[in-house]
Amino acid sequence: MAQLLDGRVYSEEALQEIKVQVQELKNQGVTPGLAVILVGEDPASQTYVRNKGKACEKTGIYSRTIILPAQTTQAELEKLIRELNDDKQIDGILVQLPLPDGLDEARALACIRPEKDADGFHAVNAGNLMLGQPGTLPCTPKGVIRMLKLAGVEMDGKHAVVVGRSNIVGKPAALLLLRENATVTIAHSHTKDLGDITRQADILVVAAGKPGLITGDMVKPGAAVVDVGINRINGRLSGDVDFTSVDPVAGWLSPVPGGVGLMTVAMLMDNVVALARARAEKKA
Ligand code: NDP
């Protein structure tokens, strides 16, 4: 049986630390603030936004959720983002993705000032990650690395395989694993014989959005398997990893739900605190 990479425990630990840091900032007269913009009524997005608000409450971060109708125009959305860019109460701005059809995500994200980019999706922050410069990191890959570190999984010199190459999970996860001195392979939908590649992984991060894609026969015995996938099947959440067949083979395994999703929210809080700290340092 694999050791559980328990997002509940690790995220709770992270949130408690963040709560202390928020209080320290408040003592210096700086209250960290997050603005979350939700456009439309996608039920999964509504849940994510609610969870982010709850984490703000728990840590003492000021949060403002702005809900816009699905018919919102690009110009209206960008005007709102620009107002938040200039809003002194707000350190981090997050536009909940996906946006409804007709709205341009890339253009909306580009409107967020990089110093207020809570999600780390702005091209400047993506570029900083690529170059190994300081900047805001995307929350999910950051949460994956935090989880592996807290579990004591060695990354240096290990072979890490990332399944998925999206800008928000796969690519940044690969870059962060590289930063930890892992040897990194990225697999995607054109990869031939996925199992051949995943069986070589000491660390396997799966972010494909395909339920049950990874089965026990595709995993190296003792590997650390991190399941990023969130799939809704008949109202129930499941990951990209077939937990039942992988559990007896892997050394570590993250569950869905109760895994990376919780780390993602905790790392968002971490990002907002870092942005607020930068404001406090400017003020000093
Ligand atoms: P995308 O759809 O943007 O990317 C999926 C990636 O998986 C693509 O690169 C795609 O390849 C690859 N892929 C798809 N099918 C296969 C396959 N059969 N074999 C190998 N690779 C495949 O998704 P995201 O990166 O945004 O999200 C991935 C998953 O993670 C989703 O389930 C999402 O809900 C979840 N997620 C979870 C978060 C959390 O907090 N836990 C946060 C964000 C996302 P190609 O590029 O060739 O199309």
Side-chain angles (χ1 to χ4, degrees):
M1 293 272 276
Q3 210 172 301
L4 196 70
L5 294 169
D6 194 336
R8 287 197 176 84
V9 172
Y10 296 146
S11 67
E12 197 52 45
E13 252 175 52
L15 289 174
Q16 287 311 319
E17 278 172 29
I18 291 161
K19 190 176 174 180
V20 173
Q21 293 165 11
V22 169
Q23 192 52 54
E24 283 167 5
L25 281 164
K26 283 184 175 173
N27 294 344
Q28 297 170 43
V30 172
T31 299
L34 171 68
V36 177
I37 303 173
L38 172 63
V39 189
E41 288 170 5
D42 176 59
S45 293
Q46 286 174 332
T47 308
Y48 295 143
V49 167
R50 232 184 348 263
N51 290 343
K52 288 165 188 173
K54 278 187 199 156
C56 282
E57 243 173 67
K58 204 176 215 173
T59 49
I61 291 175
Y62 165 71
S63 90
R64 197 187 301 165
T65 302
I66 301 146
I67 300 172
L68 300 175
Q71 306 76 25
T72 301
T73 63
Q74 186 77 27
E76 286 165 341
L77 175 60
E78 291 183 11
K79 180 170 175 279
L80 171 64
I81 294 170
R82 277 194 292 273
E83 282 166 11
L84 292 168
N85 276 338
D86 293 332
D87 190 321
K88 295 201 163 38
Q89 278 186 309
I90 299 301
D91 293 291
I93 303 168
L94 181 154
V95 177
Q96 184 64 47
L97 303 180
L99 288 173
D101 287 347
L103 291 176
D104 185 330
E105 288 183 357
R107 269 177 53 204
L109 294 178
C111 261
I112 300 173
R113 204 179 283 153
E115 300 81 25
K116 288 202 173 190
D117 173 26
D119 252 339
F121 292 164
H122 191 284
V124 166
N125 284 314
N128 283 333
L129 170 59
M130 174 74 193
L131 297 174
Q133 307 275 11
T136 302
L137 297 175
C139 306
T140 302
K142 182 173 171 176
V144 168
I145 300 293
R146 181 72 69 94
M147 192 178 225
L148 290 169
K149 281 191 177 166
L150 287 171
V153 175
E154 179 70 46
M155 289 177 264
D156 198 318
K158 301 293 180 187
H159 187 186
V161 173
V162 179
V163 182
R165 57 173 166 179
S166 71
N167 290 333
I168 63 170
V169 189
K171 272 188 232 167
L175 286 167
L176 286 177
L177 286 158
L178 197 58
R179 200 185 264 191
E180 297 298 329
N181 295 321
T183 302
V184 183
T185 301
I186 304 176
H188 46 77
S189 70
H190 295 244
T191 298
K192 302 264 186 296
D193 202 345
L194 183 63
D196 247 11
I197 310 271
T198 57
R199 267 189 296 275
Q200 296 171 35
D202 301 305
I203 298 160
L204 179 58
V205 177
V206 192
K210 295 279 176 277
L213 176 69
I214 302 297
T215 46
D217 58 318
M218 297 166 79
V219 172
K220 180 177 180 176
V225 180
V226 183
D227 189 354
V228 180
I230 298 181
N231 307 290
R232 280 181 174 71
I233 302 166
N234 301 327
R236 285 192 59 200
L237 292 187
S238 76
D240 290 348
V241 174
D242 175 41
F243 195 95
T244 312
S245 66
V246 171
D247 191 30
V249 185
W252 292 265
L253 177 57
S254 75
V256 178
V260 175
L262 295 169
M263 296 306 289
T264 298
V265 177
M267 293 304 101
L268 172 65
M269 301 300 117
D270 200 52
N271 282 352
V272 176
V273 167
L275 295 171
R277 195 174 293 124
R279 170 158 69 99
E281 278 162 13
K282 253 194 220 156
K283 231 177 84 170

